[in-house]
Amino acid sequence: MIEFLALSPVFDTGFKLYRMIEVIKEIEKIRHLVEKKRAEGAKIGLVPTMGAIHEGHVSLIKLACEMTDYVVVSVFVNPTQFGPGEDFKKYPRNPEKDMRTIDSAGAHCIFSPEISEMYPGEYSTYITVEELTKGLCGRSRPEHFRGVTTVVTKLFNIVDPHIAVFGQKDAQQLAVIRKMVDDLNMTVKIVTGSIVRAQDGLALSSRNMYLSGEERKQATVLYRSLCMASEMAASGVTEPEEILGKVREVITGQDAAKIDYIEIVDKDRMTPVTKISDSSLLAVAVWFGKTRLIDNIILNGKNG
Amino acid sequence: MIEFLALSPVFDTGFKLYRMIEVIKEIEKIRHLVEKKRAEGAKIGLVPTMGAIHEGHVSLIKLACEMTDYVVVSVFVNPTQFGPGEDFKKYPRNPEKDMRTIDSAGAHCIFSPEISEMYPGEYSTYITVEELTKGLCGRSRPEHFRGVTTVVTKLFNIVDPHIAVFGQKDAQQLAVIRKMVDDLNMTVKIVTGSIVRAQDGLALSSRNMYLSGEERKQATVLYRSLCMASEMAASGVTEPEEILGKVREVITGQDAAKIDYIEIVDKDRMTPVTKISDSSLLAVAVWFGKTRLIDNIILNGKNG
C-alpha cells in the first residue's frame, strides 16, 4: 500500500494533463492570496456566481480575463437571497464540473466558502438599496436583493477587486448593485456581460435544468416576445401599454406559462416609464410549471 | 482695489503663523490625496466626527496620530442619523474653531463634505446591523444606527483607512460598528478611545452646551451613579436589578432628570445580562430638560 501511494504520482501523470485551478474556502486565505497578487501589480477581477456554471458564466469569466490579470470566481449558493419556499435546497450544485468549466474559461482561482464562513453565528448586518428593489423581482421576492447586496459587499470586501462582472440577464440585480456601489462610494468598477442564449433564444440560466421537455419548449416564447417588443419600439411605438399588451398576449398563448410580471421600466431606476425611450427596459418574469424564469431587453425606442 | 489684493498676502503674514490644515470638501479629492499618501507607504487613520470638537475628540485624534502616519478627521453632521424632531438643525456647528482644534491636535487633513456630496439626489442605500440596534439608543432612536453605519461605511470606502477611532462614550455605536466591520469583512481596524470627562465627571459631549447652568450641575449625577454601580459590582453584587434600582434612585433624585433607559447589557451583544460579569456594561440615557445625555461604564464584576 505504501509503495502504491509512493508511486501514485507517476500513475497520475496520465490523467492530470494540467494543474487544476486552486479552490479556496477560507476568507483569510483568499484575502491573503489576492493581496499578494495585487502587491505584484496584478489587476484583480471578480465574477460572483452561485455555481451551476453555464456558458453565460463562462462569457463573464472570459470578459474578466480580458480586462484583468487575476480572476477570482466565487461559487457560493447564498442562502440570504432565497426566500422561504424558494429553491435554496434544490439549487443545482456540481462543484467538480463547475471547477473544470471555470478552469477552462481561464479563471485563476475559485473562492468557494462554506455558509458558516460567510455567515457565522449571530450574523446581523444587511445592506438595502431601497428605491430600486420595490418593483419587479423585488415585489415577488421581498428579501432577495437584500441578500444579493449583502453577499456582494462581503465578496467585494474580501477580494477587493478592481472590476466585478455581472450578467445583464439579471438586469434589476445589476442596477441595484451599480446603485449600491455609487451610493456607498465603493471603488470597484462594475462591468456588464451580455445575455447568452441557447440557439432557440432561451436565456441561459442555472434554473433552466428544472424545466420539463414541454416547459423548455414553451419557454422560448420569452425571447420571441422580447424580440417582437423590440421591433415594435424600433418601428415607432412609444406607448408602453401597447407593447406590454402584445407581449402578454404572446406569452399567455403558452399554456404552461404563468406571468409573474411584464414591465417596461427605466433601466437604471427600475421604475415604470410612461413613454418608451433608449433607456427603457422590458423585463419579464414568467413561471413555467414550478420554475420561474426571467429575461429582458433594452428597447431601442426612437424617442430616446 | 487690485493693488490692495496684490498686497494682501503681506498684510496677512502677521496673522497666519503657520499653514492651516487642509480642508477638503470633495470625495474625489480626498480619495486621491489619501491614495497618494498610502502609495508613499503611510498608514492612514480616520476619526469620524460631527464637528463641535471638544477634548473627547482631541483625545481620539491624538490616539490616531500615535498609531498612524496620516490622520483624516471627517467633520460631517450626518442627517441620516437624526430622527424627525431631533436636533439636526440646531446641532452645534463651528467650522473655524473646529479647524483650529483639529489642527492643534495633530491631524493632517479635514474631510468636510456638503450633504449633497454624501447623499446626492435619489440616494437609496442603507446598512443595518439588526441585532445590536434594537435596545438602548436604538429603541428611542429607531433610525439612528442605520444612519451611523451607512455614513461610516461611506467614509471607510472614501478614505480607506488602516484604522478608525471611535469613542467609548457611544458604547452601542462602537459595538454596532465593530459588528458591521466583522459581518461585512471590512479590513479597517476599529480602535476605541476612552471617555474623556470634565473635572466634575460629566462625559464630554457636543450636546453638553445645550444644558442650562442648573441642568449642567444636575447632569453630574450620571457619572456619580456609574461610579456607585461600579463599586457595587466590584464589591460582589451580581444581580443587575440590585444595581439598576440604586442607579435609578440616585438619578431620579435630581428633579431635572428624566430617564430614557438604564440598562446592564453585554458590552458586545448589547443585550441585557442576567448576571454581572467583566463583559457587562452599564449604559444610561437621561434627559435633562430638552437635552438627552448618554454615558456608560464597564462593570468589573467579580464573576467575569
PDB file of all heavy atoms in Angstrom, chain B residues 233-238 276-278 300-304:
ATOM      1  N   ALA B 233     -20.571  46.478  41.911  1.00  0.00           N
ATOM      2  CA  ALA B 233     -20.158  45.279  41.173  1.00  0.00           C
ATOM      3  C   ALA B 233     -18.824  44.767  41.699  1.00  0.00           C
ATOM      4  O   ALA B 233     -18.640  43.563  41.914  1.00  0.00           O
ATOM      5  CB  ALA B 233     -20.060  45.581  39.679  1.00  0.00           C
ATOM      6  N   ALA B 234     -17.904  45.702  41.976  1.00  0.00           N
ATOM      7  CA  ALA B 234     -16.578  45.322  42.470  1.00  0.00           C
ATOM      8  C   ALA B 234     -16.676  44.675  43.850  1.00  0.00           C
ATOM      9  O   ALA B 234     -15.872  43.817  44.209  1.00  0.00           O
ATOM     10  CB  ALA B 234     -15.659  46.534  42.500  1.00  0.00           C
ATOM     11  N   SER B 235     -17.702  45.093  44.606  1.00  0.00           N
ATOM     12  CA  SER B 235     -17.842  44.547  45.961  1.00  0.00           C
ATOM     13  C   SER B 235     -18.610  43.231  45.946  1.00  0.00           C
ATOM     14  O   SER B 235     -18.884  42.662  47.001  1.00  0.00           O
ATOM     15  CB  SER B 235     -18.535  45.566  46.858  1.00  0.00           C
ATOM     16  OG  SER B 235     -19.903  45.596  46.550  1.00  0.00           O
ATOM     17  N   GLY B 236     -19.000  42.772  44.766  1.00  0.00           N
ATOM     18  CA  GLY B 236     -19.561  41.430  44.668  1.00  0.00           C
ATOM     19  C   GLY B 236     -21.028  41.333  44.307  1.00  0.00           C
ATOM     20  O   GLY B 236     -21.575  40.232  44.230  1.00  0.00           O
ATOM     21  N   VAL B 237     -21.695  42.458  44.078  1.00  0.00           N
ATOM     22  CA  VAL B 237     -23.105  42.381  43.670  1.00  0.00           C
ATOM     23  C   VAL B 237     -23.173  41.822  42.249  1.00  0.00           C
ATOM     24  O   VAL B 237     -22.497  42.319  41.349  1.00  0.00           O
ATOM     25  CB  VAL B 237     -23.775  43.776  43.721  1.00  0.00           C
ATOM     26  CG1 VAL B 237     -25.232  43.685  43.251  1.00  0.00           C
ATOM     27  CG2 VAL B 237     -23.694  44.368  45.123  1.00  0.00           C
ATOM     28  N   THR B 238     -23.974  40.784  42.034  1.00  0.00           N
ATOM     29  CA  THR B 238     -24.054  40.181  40.697  1.00  0.00           C
ATOM     30  C   THR B 238     -25.452  40.306  40.101  1.00  0.00           C
ATOM     31  O   THR B 238     -25.661  39.956  38.950  1.00  0.00           O
ATOM     32  CB  THR B 238     -23.682  38.684  40.737  1.00  0.00           C
ATOM     33  OG1 THR B 238     -24.575  38.031  41.643  1.00  0.00           O
ATOM     34  CG2 THR B 238     -22.253  38.482  41.175  1.00  0.00           C
ATOM     35  N   ILE B 276     -24.023  39.810  36.472  1.00  0.00           N
ATOM     36  CA  ILE B 276     -22.960  40.746  36.098  1.00  0.00           C
ATOM     37  C   ILE B 276     -21.614  40.037  35.981  1.00  0.00           C
ATOM     38  O   ILE B 276     -21.244  39.222  36.829  1.00  0.00           O
ATOM     39  CB  ILE B 276     -22.906  41.898  37.122  1.00  0.00           C
ATOM     40  CG1 ILE B 276     -24.154  42.770  36.911  1.00  0.00           C
ATOM     41  CG2 ILE B 276     -21.644  42.743  36.958  1.00  0.00           C
ATOM     42  CD1 ILE B 276     -24.462  43.663  38.054  1.00  0.00           C
ATOM     43  N   SER B 277     -20.915  40.335  34.883  1.00  0.00           N
ATOM     44  CA  SER B 277     -19.574  39.788  34.675  1.00  0.00           C
ATOM     45  C   SER B 277     -18.667  40.904  34.165  1.00  0.00           C
ATOM     46  O   SER B 277     -19.096  42.043  34.011  1.00  0.00           O
ATOM     47  CB  SER B 277     -19.620  38.654  33.654  1.00  0.00           C
ATOM     48  OG  SER B 277     -19.723  39.199  32.360  1.00  0.00           O
ATOM     49  N   ASP B 278     -17.412  40.530  33.848  1.00  0.00           N
ATOM     50  CA  ASP B 278     -16.451  41.527  33.350  1.00  0.00           C
ATOM     51  C   ASP B 278     -16.833  42.113  31.998  1.00  0.00           C
ATOM     52  O   ASP B 278     -16.269  43.117  31.584  1.00  0.00           O
ATOM     53  CB  ASP B 278     -15.061  40.894  33.231  1.00  0.00           C
ATOM     54  CG  ASP B 278     -14.349  40.918  34.571  1.00  0.00           C
ATOM     55  OD1 ASP B 278     -14.914  41.492  35.527  1.00  0.00           O
ATOM     56  OD2 ASP B 278     -13.240  40.365  34.652  1.00  0.00           O
ATOM     57  N   ASN B 300     -16.662  45.952  36.491  1.00  0.00           N
ATOM     58  CA  ASN B 300     -15.657  44.914  36.720  1.00  0.00           C
ATOM     59  C   ASN B 300     -16.158  43.911  37.749  1.00  0.00           C
ATOM     60  O   ASN B 300     -15.667  43.839  38.853  1.00  0.00           O
ATOM     61  CB  ASN B 300     -14.331  45.546  37.134  1.00  0.00           C
ATOM     62  CG  ASN B 300     -13.748  46.356  35.994  1.00  0.00           C
ATOM     63  OD1 ASN B 300     -13.563  45.838  34.905  1.00  0.00           O
ATOM     64  ND2 ASN B 300     -13.505  47.634  36.236  1.00  0.00           N
ATOM     65  N   GLY B 301     -17.168  43.176  37.325  1.00  0.00           N
ATOM     66  CA  GLY B 301     -17.765  42.197  38.226  1.00  0.00           C
ATOM     67  C   GLY B 301     -16.759  41.130  38.618  1.00  0.00           C
ATOM     68  O   GLY B 301     -15.777  40.894  37.918  1.00  0.00           O
ATOM     69  N   LYS B 302     -17.004  40.488  39.736  1.00  0.00           N
ATOM     70  CA  LYS B 302     -16.036  39.514  40.265  1.00  0.00           C
ATOM     71  C   LYS B 302     -16.184  38.139  39.646  1.00  0.00           C
ATOM     72  O   LYS B 302     -15.363  37.269  39.843  1.00  0.00           O
ATOM     73  CB  LYS B 302     -16.206  39.427  41.789  1.00  0.00           C
ATOM     74  CG  LYS B 302     -15.708  40.703  42.456  1.00  0.00           C
ATOM     75  CD  LYS B 302     -15.216  40.459  43.861  1.00  0.00           C
ATOM     76  CE  LYS B 302     -14.377  41.628  44.327  1.00  0.00           C
ATOM     77  NZ  LYS B 302     -14.333  41.737  45.795  1.00  0.00           N
ATOM     78  N   ASN B 303     -17.320  37.926  38.936  1.00  0.00           N
ATOM     79  CA  ASN B 303     -17.534  36.600  38.346  1.00  0.00           C
ATOM     80  C   ASN B 303     -17.243  36.583  36.845  1.00  0.00           C
ATOM     81  O   ASN B 303     -17.764  35.761  36.123  1.00  0.00           O
ATOM     82  CB  ASN B 303     -18.972  36.132  38.601  1.00  0.00           C
ATOM     83  CG  ASN B 303     -19.965  37.114  37.996  1.00  0.00           C
ATOM     84  OD1 ASN B 303     -19.659  38.312  37.863  1.00  0.00           O
ATOM     85  ND2 ASN B 303     -21.126  36.631  37.632  1.00  0.00           N
ATOM     86  N   GLY B 304     -16.450  37.530  36.389  1.00  0.00           N
ATOM     87  CA  GLY B 304     -16.202  37.663  34.937  1.00  0.00           C
ATOM     88  C   GLY B 304     -15.177  36.656  34.451  1.00  0.00           C
ATOM     89  O   GLY B 304     -14.521  35.990  35.222  1.00  0.00           O
TER      90      GLY B 304
END
